[in-house]
């Protein structure tokens, strides 16, 4: 029993501490990571200490009756709560950059001291039971009253969630006010019940033998549920709904102010990169060996431009794109590198912080929409969820502005229909209630694009979005993406193995080969004069309409196995220009023209003479072939 009591006590302390911190104003909260670490460690220590104390008192109690009061759960919880205060104060500065001043400024300790006061008052009341020799004939029944109260409150909370889930769109309560009202409703009704239990059951009935109250389980469930429902509704209507509306108004004001500041800054520095990837290195640790999928990739995307990432299958394009959102799963590992998105390094963010970027500021369209859409939810639900998750403030503000009593859920549905209309999807009201498998491939891809654009992202990553589609649909989707890019000025990272598509869509292009960037430049520059033998190979392999050829031009060989990548330049086993340094030295980036970089020894001034011989040799051979 002592073990169970200690575990329950430690869990309650963990939950209470986390809840207090979570409900502090954002500026006064202890950073969640540090707080969670400290709370977990301190709760574990508390568990050990309380178990020890329990064993000591139980042993003494065997000899001296009086010590029995110290084994009551409420007394022990008071002890645990107090020790927790000191340990928390000691440990939190060890888990991050929190100083003691930060801790006091956070108001956590002040609130916690009040909590200790309440716990000791309740513990004191309980200690009076054996001290005043109050005749409790069956103490278990008395304690059961509290456990029952907790269970009834939890059941009531569960019912509240269920009812809200099944309410119509217009009547559903938004998540945050609902959560707050449930939390306060539950705590207050438990407090009221506990107080009446102590007053009526303990003192009035048992001390003065007044038959005021009979502890009956049916009465208990009824009364606690009534208290819960009343407190829940009062707090929801009077406190949390108006507060949520106020907060959303304030947040929107802040967002609008920030947006106007950003646009004025952007107007002054239009050439700021929205995304800078630096020295990105990703390996996959397979049983066969380490796959060096991405090796020191660096590129920039500027606001409002479309950057194409092109290369053969297996050269690391998708892995680079997934790394931007930190979506690489084990056995893959991001070894090093920086992903700077509007001044913030996404590599340093916690998973929780990243959720704010995924789906809102940065979105991704995947190759196969059937695998990316959830098969068990309708299209409407999946798109509305994006609005509800990332734009709750905007939805609340719009409902307040409309003032026609509609809920944010209804509005999210209306926004979804409008978005589908914007994407030229016919009969959006009908499509909304369809499941992904009921739509054609092209329609599913449009739905994915709609989801990607729902929150007007700052960066859209399109990972071969037209590969799985036939040419006519491919053309429609490309046209649509181009129109949307012009309309919303969204920055796009477009991944494809098709240079034809890249030439239509992009402003700049980065050619990837075997995990690194071989050539980077403006699209016109690359097509007018490609420098890297690999880029030239890719361009030459595009069939030209009207030009008769017996055989299509190909790049000899295949992409190397990245577990055993070739030494030096990874392209050297397939390169017709390959000369002395290629097999041993990795090429460095050379600037050929403005914004045109190439990683090839042919253009490195230190190998100028050797490169001239290699170029002559290849030209002679090709003249011979002609
Ligand atoms: Fe070819 Fe050498 Fe240039 Fe690599 S570095 S592409 S092998 S010439």
């Amino acid at each position: 029993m002592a073990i169970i009591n200690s575990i329950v006590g430690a869990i309650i302390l963990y939950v209470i501490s986390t809840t207090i911190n979570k409900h502090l104003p954002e500026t006064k909260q202890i950073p969640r990571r540090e707080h969670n670490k400290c709370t977990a460690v301190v709760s574990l220590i508390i568990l050990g200490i309380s178990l020890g104390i329990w064993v000591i008192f139980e042993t003494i109690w065997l000899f001296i009756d009086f010590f029995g009061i110290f084994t009551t759960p409420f007394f022990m919880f008071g002890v645990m709560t107090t020790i927790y205060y000191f340990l928390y104060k000691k440990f939190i500065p060890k888990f991050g950059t929190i100083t003691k001043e930060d801790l006091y400024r956070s108001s956590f300790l002040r609130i916690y001291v009040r909590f200790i006061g309440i716990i000791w008052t309740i513990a004191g009341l309980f200690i009076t039971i054996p001290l005043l020799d109050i005749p409790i004939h069956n103490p278990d029944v008395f304690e059961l009253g509290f456990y029952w109260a907790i269970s009834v409150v939890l059941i009531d909370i569960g019912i509240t969630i269920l009812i809200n889930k099944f309410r119509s769109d217009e009547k559903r309560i938004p998540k945050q006010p609902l959560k707050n009202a449930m939390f306060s409703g539950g705590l207050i009704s438990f407090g009221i019940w506990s107080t009446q239990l102590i007053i009526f059951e303990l003192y009035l009935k048992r001390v003065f033998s007044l038959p005021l109250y009979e502890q009956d389980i049916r009465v208990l469930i009824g009364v606690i549920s009534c208290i819960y429902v009343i407190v829940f509704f009062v707090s929801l209507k009077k406190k949390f709904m108006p507060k949520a509306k106020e907060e959303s108004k304030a947040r929107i004001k802040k967002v609008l102010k920030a947006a106007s500041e950003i646009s004025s800054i952007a107007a002054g520095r239009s050439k700021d990169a929205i995304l800078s990837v630096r020295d990105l290195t990703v390996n996959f640790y397979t049983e066969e060996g380490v796959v060096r999928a991405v090796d020191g990739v660096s590129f920039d995307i500027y606001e409002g431009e479309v950057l194409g990432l092109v290369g053969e299958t297996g050269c690391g394009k998708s892995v680079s794109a997934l790394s931007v959102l930190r979506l690489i799963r084990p056995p893959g590992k991001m070894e090093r590198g920086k992903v700077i998105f509007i001044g913030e390094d996404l590599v340093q963010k916690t998973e929780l912080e990243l959720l704010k970027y995924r789906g809102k500021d940065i979105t991704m369209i995947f190759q196969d929409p059937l695998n990316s859409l959830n098969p068990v939810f309708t299209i409407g639900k999946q798109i509305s969820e994006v609005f509800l998750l990332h734009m709750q403030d905007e939805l609340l503000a719009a409902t307040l502005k409309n003032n026609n009593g509609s809920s944010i859920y209804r509005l999210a549905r209306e926004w979804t229909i409008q978005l589908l209309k914007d994407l030229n999807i016919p009969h959006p009201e009908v499509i909304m209630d369809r499941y992904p498998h009921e739509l054609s491939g092209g329609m599913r891809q449009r739905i994915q694009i709609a989801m990607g654009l729902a929150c007007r992202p700052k960066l859209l990553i399109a990972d071969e979005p037209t590969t799985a589609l036939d040419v006519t649909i491919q053309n429609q989707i490309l046209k649509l993406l181009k129109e949307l890019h012009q309309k919303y000025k969204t920055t796009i990272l477009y991944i494809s193995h098709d240079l034809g598509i890249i030439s239509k869509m992009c402003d700049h292009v980065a050619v990837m080969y075997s995990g690194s960037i071989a050539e980077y430049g403006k699209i016109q520059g690359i097509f007018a004069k490609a420098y890297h033998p690999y880029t030239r190979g890719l361009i030459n392999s595009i069939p030209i309409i009207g030009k008769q050829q017996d055989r299509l031009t190909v790049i000899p060989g295949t992409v190397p196995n990245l577990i055993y990548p070739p030494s030096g330049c990874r392209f050297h086993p397939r390169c017709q220009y390959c000369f002395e340094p290629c097999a041993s030295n990795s090429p460095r980036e050379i600037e050929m023209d403005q914004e045109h970089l190439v990683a090839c020894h042919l253009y490195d001034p230190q190998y100028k003479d050797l490169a001239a011989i290699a170029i002559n040799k290849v030209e002679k051979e090709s003249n011979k072939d002609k």
Side-chain angles (χ1 to χ4, degrees):
M1 199 61 192
I3 295 178
I4 293 171
N5 282 339
S6 301
I7 293 173
V8 172
I11 292 172
I12 292 175
L13 280 179
Y14 182 89
V15 173
I16 284 173
S17 170
T18 313
T19 315
I20 292 177
N21 190 48
K22 212 170 157 185
H23 283 81
L24 288 173
E26 248 173 59
T27 47
K28 294 190 168 184
Q29 270 179 23
I30 304 277
R32 216 170 276 176
R33 219 181 188 174
E34 277 94 341
H35 185 82
N36 283 350
K37 273 188 209 163
C38 176
T39 315
V41 170
V42 173
S43 301
L44 271 179
I45 297 174
I46 291 281
L47 177 67
I49 294 177
S50 82
L51 252 179
I53 297 176
W54 222 299
V55 170
I56 292 169
F57 282 140
E58 293 246 1
T59 319
I60 302 174
W61 184 34
L62 286 178
F63 306 102
I64 308 162
D65 268 3
F66 170 77
F67 280 92
I69 61 165
F70 297 121
T71 59
T72 55
F74 288 93
F75 173 78
M76 280 308 297
F77 190 61
V79 173
M80 287 169 86
T81 311
T82 314
I83 299 173
Y84 190 93
Y85 171 81
F86 294 106
L87 285 179
Y88 183 89
K89 241 169 66 170
K90 188 172 159 41
F91 274 93
I92 191 90
K94 287 190 196 275
F95 287 100
T97 48
I98 315 287
T99 60
K100 278 201 174 154
E101 290 72 41
D102 292 335
L103 193 55
Y104 283 103
R105 210 179 310 127
S106 78
S107 341
F108 180 91
L109 289 185
R110 263 177 283 141
I111 296 174
Y112 197 80
V113 166
R114 277 176 226 158
F115 176 65
I116 297 178
I118 296 169
I119 294 299
W120 274 113
T121 314
I122 297 174
L125 277 168
F126 273 85
I127 288 170
T128 58
I129 299 169
L131 287 183
L132 298 176
D133 210 15
I134 297 168
I136 294 179
H137 305 298
N138 187 355
D140 284 350
V141 172
F142 185 68
E143 279 187 14
L144 264 179
F146 292 98
Y147 296 131
W148 264 106
I150 293 176
S151 319
V152 174
V153 165
L154 290 179
I155 291 168
D156 286 339
I157 288 175
I159 293 171
T160 311
I161 295 170
L162 270 182
I163 291 175
N164 192 52
K165 216 176 167 74
F166 290 110
R167 286 177 108 190
S168 62
D169 283 351
E170 297 80 29
K171 290 181 181 162
R172 207 176 291 166
I173 306 162
K175 227 186 229 168
Q176 200 51 42
L178 177 82
K179 231 162 93 184
N180 290 340
M182 279 194 314
F183 177 71
S184 65
L187 272 184
I188 294 173
S189 48
F190 181 68
I192 293 176
W193 179 260
S194 309
T195 314
Q196 72 80 30
L197 200 63
I198 290 166
I199 295 170
F200 286 96
E201 185 75 359
L202 189 64
Y203 287 97
L204 296 182
K205 183 180 165 193
R206 299 189 184 212
V207 178
F208 304 110
S209 305
L210 293 174
L212 288 173
Y213 172 74
E214 281 299 324
Q215 184 163 320
D216 183 312
I217 202 70
R218 288 161 298 181
V219 178
L220 184 142
I221 293 173
V223 176
I224 299 179
S225 297
C226 279
I227 298 172
Y228 171 78
V229 171
I230 293 166
V231 176
F232 173 77
F233 273 105
V234 170
S235 57
L236 185 72
K237 299 271 173 207
K238 300 263 178 225
K239 188 163 183 251
F240 294 114
M241 283 301 269
K243 201 175 154 199
K245 286 176 183 172
E246 283 293 311
E247 272 175 14
S248 72
K249 269 187 195 167
R251 262 197 249 171
I252 290 160
K253 237 182 177 177
K254 212 168 119 190
V255 169
L256 289 177
K257 199 176 155 206
S260 69
E261 277 168 13
I262 287 171
S263 58
S264 62
I265 293 168
R269 297 182 305 164
S270 60
K271 259 313 195 186
D272 274 358
I274 195 166
L275 179 80
S276 281
V277 175
R278 288 284 167 274
D279 197 22
L280 182 70
T281 305
V282 182
N283 291 340
F284 285 81
Y285 292 87
T286 64
E287 279 181 16
E288 214 186 311
V290 183
V291 181
R292 295 171 209 289
V294 176
D295 187 20
V297 162
S298 302
F299 59 85
D300 293 322
I301 309 180
Y302 295 95
E303 204 168 343
E305 80 162 15
V306 183
L307 173 72
L309 210 52
V310 69
E312 288 164 287
T313 304
C315 65
K317 306 179 301 281
S318 297
V319 175
S320 305
L322 289 171
S323 308
V324 171
L325 281 168
R326 293 235 317 261
L327 290 173
I328 301 291
R329 292 208 186 133
K333 194 177 167 206
M334 223 170 125
E335 297 292 356
R336 57 171 195 276
K338 285 181 177 177
V339 178
I340 315 281
F341 178 71
I342 321 184
E344 303 271 343
D345 189 357
L346 300 187
V347 178
Q348 304 301 330
K349 301 275 173 202
T350 61
E351 274 299 315
L352 216 66
E353 287 166 336
L354 262 185
L355 290 182
K356 289 182 194 159
Y357 292 89
R358 289 182 191 149
K360 186 166 195 304
D361 291 330
I362 308 175
T363 53
M364 194 155 177
I365 305 171
F366 295 93
Q367 192 170 342
D368 185 359
L370 191 59
N371 287 339
S372 325
L373 293 169
N374 194 326
V376 295
F377 290 111
T378 58
I379 297 301
K381 271 232 172 337
Q382 295 189 53
I383 304 179
S384 307
E385 196 189 353
V386 180
F387 288 123
L388 290 166
L389 209 64
H390 296 295
M391 295 179 77
Q392 218 181 70
D393 290 345
E394 288 83 346
L395 282 168
L396 262 174
T399 46
L400 283 176
K401 208 170 141 195
N402 292 347
N403 212 12
N404 57 4
S406 77
S407 74
I408 56 168
Y409 299 94
R410 168 149 290 251
L411 199 65
R413 194 179 158 85
E414 283 168 15
W415 285 11
T416 307
I417 293 174
Q418 188 53 47
L419 183 66
L420 294 180
K421 276 184 191 160
D422 287 351
L423 288 169
N424 300 328
I425 292 175
H427 315 298
E429 288 87 355
V430 180
I431 297 291
M432 286 279 288
D433 298 318
R434 293 263 168 92
Y435 288 90
H437 70 271
E438 294 177 293
L439 304 178
S440 66
M443 195 63 93
R444 281 196 290 263
Q445 196 57 288
R446 280 163 191 258
I447 299 299
Q448 256 211 111
I449 295 173
M451 280 174 81
L453 291 172
C455 295
R456 303 274 182 278
K458 294 191 177 84
L459 174 67
L460 175 73
I461 301 174
D463 186 5
E464 310 216 25
T466 54
T467 307
L469 307 172
D470 61 66
V471 235
T472 40
I473 305 293
Q474 203 177 78
N475 203 31
Q476 286 175 19
I477 297 285
L478 289 177
K479 232 170 120 189
L480 178 72
L481 271 173
K482 236 180 156 177
E483 279 169 20
L484 293 170
H485 168 64
Q486 277 158 7
K487 188 170 171 186
Y488 300 125
K489 300 273 170 275
T490 312
T491 311
I492 302 177
L493 173 61
Y494 196 96
I495 297 168
S496 179
H497 58 264
D498 188 336
L499 264 178
I501 291 177
I502 293 284
S503 69
K504 274 192 204 166
M505 286 292 300
C506 306
D507 306 307
H508 282 81
V509 62
V511 182
M512 269 192 93
Y513 182 75
S514 193
S516 39
I517 292 188
E519 190 161 0
Y520 169 87
K522 282 186 185 160
I523 195 81
Q524 299 88 349
I526 296 261
F527 276 90
K529 189 170 184 188
Y531 290 97
H532 200 284
Y534 179 61
T535 317
R536 276 192 238 155
L538 285 180
I539 294 173
N540 290 338
S541 62
I542 304 171
I544 300 166
I545 300 170
K547 187 182 170 188
Q548 266 205 340
Q549 269 178 299
D550 292 340
R551 294 175 74 91
L552 287 175
T553 317
V554 291
I555 303 170
T558 51
V559 177
N561 179 347
L562 291 179
I563 297 179
Y564 312 103
S567 57
C569 170
R570 287 188 178 184
F571 187 59
H572 87 259
R574 302 173 73 185
C575 180
Q576 54 179 335
Y577 293 92
C578 179
F579 63 113
E580 281 78 357
C582 299
S584 50
N585 299 346
S586 297
R588 63 189 174 103
E589 267 183 3
I590 316 267
E591 188 162 4
M592 303 304 294
D593 303 312
Q594 201 194 1
E595 289 189 69
H596 197 146
L597 302 167
V598 62
C600 175
H601 291 312
L602 283 178
Y603 311 100
D604 194 334
Q606 65 170 312
Y607 303 122
K608 202 175 158 198
D609 300 334
L610 291 170
I613 298 168
I615 294 169
N616 265 338
K617 203 173 128 197
V618 173
E619 277 173 3
K620 264 185 201 164
E621 274 171 21
S622 65
N623 286 338
K624 238 192 260 171
D625 290 347
K626 279 175 191 169

